[in-house]
Amino acid sequence: MGFSAGKRKSRDDQEEDYTNTVTLSDLNDDVLEKVLSWLPTSCYFRMTSVCKRWQSTQTSRTFKLACSQVPSRDPWFFMIGVNDSTSSFVYDSTENNWKNLNRSLLLHHRRDLFTPVASSSGLLCFRCSVSVDFLLRNPLTGSSHELPYQNYNKPLQAVAMTTTASPSSYKLVTISGDIPNLCFKFYESSSCSWSKVFELVKKNNTEDDDDETETGTVYFLNKTGNVVVASKTLQRSPSKQYSSVITVKDNVETVYFLSSCGTIIACDLTERSFTQLPKLLPPFLEYSIDLVECDGTMFVILLSEFYESTSLRIWKLEKQSWVHVGMLPPAMSHELYFVYDLVKEEWSELPRCFSDGQAVEFVSSLSFQPRIEAAL
């Protein structure tokens, strides 16, 4: 880029330039809506109070269409409070602050009966502890859809959801049964119906994976120095009971979930088969595990404790082998909440969340893209 010296403009020339400047008010509605659709979602709620013209975007179909053409948005995190209570707080990763949606996310429903179990794009999925039905909701607009569910007396293992932008639709997948007798079915919004139940056949693993049928007893020393028996049943909070992710690669859909003994099960919905992945840690290590998805890849978040040492690491699976991706720096281990950017490979600390002057504690979260155009 170069610079050139020229004559200084006169006041009249400057006034003429200002007169010829195009402002947002000069744009037609279609162009204006395309410009506004690229603003961060947080700005959407503020911009509707600027003027009546901008406020009209709330009911504009062309504006929502323009928003759907934005490839991706920085995630928000829907927070789950202590005792697995549903909160209305979300963390905005774009502005690095907390937001209270100030509306009942489960309008006309008892919030204590519904637990968030899955998310995809701009939608959250809740499960009722009484009726076992599902409730899908856009937390920004409040639009919702109730989804009756029949479990056929088989224990539910996993709930995963995926969405497509064009045409706008979503798919809810459930995995049921006991290993090795697993099955799945799915609901598609495009047809507004559930599929039939499909059986999943177990693949032969290359390593010994008979953890579900092991009868040996494992003893180990806990942090206090006491000898304890390793539990073969994974203890999980209700908000993470059906924690799972779905990846789509080369038109192959795979659902990953945690079994009752803590191993990761990979279900290939295309081949209708499943395999048990190798364990990351031996059973004598106390640890907490969770699964996330990014760009079609499944990642494992692993918090392990051995005596007084605590480690938070991230792994991914490549060719049936675990590859270490990142580790929380020891200098940050005294903080409460973190975000790890898998693309930038950066850790960042989250600010504390306060309500009425009191710090709010959370036990887990679900990430989603704040999309006002996500419809049900």
Side-chain angles (χ1 to χ4, degrees):
M1 182 173 64
F3 296 88
S4 61
K7 294 179 64 177
R8 186 173 180 177
K9 291 185 178 182
S10 65
R11 184 182 298 274
D12 293 339
D13 292 335
Q14 291 179 354
E15 290 179 353
E16 184 178 353
D17 287 345
Y18 294 146
T19 303
N20 295 329
T21 300
V22 177
T23 65
L24 289 176
S25 301
D26 299 321
L27 301 178
N28 61 46
D29 289 344
D30 289 343
V31 176
L32 175 64
E33 289 176 347
K34 288 183 178 180
V35 172
L36 296 179
S37 68
W38 283 90
L39 292 175
T41 305
S42 301
C43 298
Y44 168 77
F45 298 101
R46 294 193 289 264
M47 77 181 189
T48 54
S49 61
V50 172
C51 61
K52 290 184 178 180
R53 187 186 182 195
W54 289 24
Q55 188 180 25
S56 64
T57 59
Q58 291 180 327
T59 56
S60 172
R61 292 185 178 180
T62 54
F63 175 68
K64 292 181 178 179
L65 176 61
C67 290
S68 67
Q69 294 171 350
V70 178
S72 64
R73 297 189 184 275
D74 292 337
W76 285 15
F77 295 87
F78 179 79
M79 309 305 296
I80 301 166
V82 179
N83 299 323
D84 298 289
S85 60
T86 300
S87 73
S88 56
F89 283 101
V90 295
Y91 172 73
D92 181 351
S93 63
T94 303
E95 298 188 347
N96 188 33
N97 60 20
W98 297 96
K99 290 178 171 53
N100 192 336
L101 299 182
N102 289 325
R103 60 162 56 94
S104 174
L105 294 181
L106 299 174
L107 195 61
H108 306 309
H109 298 80
R110 285 185 56 186
R111 292 169 56 181
D112 59 326
L113 298 180
F114 284 80
T115 302
V117 292
S119 63
S120 180
S121 187
L123 301 177
L124 296 176
C125 177
F126 299 82
R127 185 173 187 260
C128 180
S129 59
V130 178
S131 66
V132 305
D133 293 338
F134 295 106
L135 175 71
L136 286 88
R137 195 166 187 86
N138 184 329
L140 300 186
T141 64
S143 61
S144 63
H145 176 63
E146 294 186 40
L147 204 58
Y149 177 74
Q150 291 182 331
N151 59 7
Y152 302 105
N153 297 320
K154 293 185 177 181
L156 183 64
Q157 297 285 353
V159 180
M161 186 165 60
T162 182
T163 56
T164 57
S166 181
S168 178
S169 63
Y170 62 88
K171 181 178 181 179
L172 189 70
V173 181
T174 62
I175 310 289
S176 303
D178 292 311
I179 297 174
N181 303 311
L182 293 177
C183 61
F184 77 95
K185 66 177 182 177
F186 55 87
Y187 176 89
E188 288 183 311
S189 62
S190 56
S191 62
C192 298
S193 62
W194 285 96
S195 71
K196 67 177 183 179
V197 177
F198 299 95
E199 301 295 328
L200 289 166
V201 180
K202 184 178 181 180
K203 282 186 176 181
N204 292 326
N205 288 28
T206 57
E207 298 183 9
D208 182 16
D209 57 3
D210 295 330
D211 294 319
E212 298 284 346
T213 58
E214 279 185 1
T215 58
T217 302
V218 177
Y219 299 89
F220 69 96
L221 289 174
N222 64 6
K223 291 183 292 183
T224 61
N226 298 321
V227 178
V228 296
V229 179
S231 173
K232 293 179 182 177
T233 302
L234 184 67
Q235 301 296 322
R236 312 204 72 194
S237 66
S239 63
K240 289 296 182 179
Q241 186 175 356
Y242 311 110
S243 178
S244 57
V245 297
I246 182 170
T247 63
V248 182
K249 235 177 195 180
D250 300 327
N251 295 323
V252 175
E253 293 181 325
T254 305
V255 173
Y256 299 88
F257 72 93
L258 291 173
S259 69
S260 59
C261 67
T263 56
I264 301 175
I265 308 298
C267 302
D268 187 328
L269 304 186
T270 304
E271 293 187 357
R272 300 176 188 173
S273 62
F274 75 93
T275 183
Q276 192 166 321
L277 303 182
K279 272 194 172 184
L280 274 164
L281 290 179
F284 57 82
L285 288 180
E286 298 182 47
Y287 61 91
S288 174
I289 187 171
D290 202 2
L291 310 178
V292 297
E293 180 271 341
C294 181
D295 293 335
T297 300
M298 185 271 294
F299 293 84
V300 175
I301 314 297
L302 193 64
L303 175 66
S304 61
E305 299 184 29
F306 188 70
Y307 287 99
E308 299 300 324
S309 175
T310 302
S311 172
L312 181 63
R313 298 174 181 267
I314 301 176
W315 303 76
K316 69 176 179 179
L317 190 70
E318 288 187 354
K319 298 179 180 179
Q320 294 300 308
S321 297
W322 292 108
V323 178
H324 185 254
V325 175
M327 173 182 175
L328 179 70
M332 299 180 66
S333 61
H334 64 283
E335 304 299 339
L336 288 177
Y337 306 112
F338 315 92
V339 170
Y340 183 71
D341 191 319
L342 289 166
V343 177
K344 298 180 181 178
E345 299 182 351
E346 294 179 350
W347 291 91
S348 57
E349 175 189 346
L350 271 62
R352 292 298 302 270
C353 178
F354 291 90
S355 177
D356 298 327
Q358 299 293 323
V360 182
E361 303 293 339
F362 305 108
V363 296
S364 61
S365 66
L366 284 175
S367 66
F368 68 99
Q369 292 188 37
R371 291 189 171 273
I372 61 172
E373 76 278 7
L376 291 162

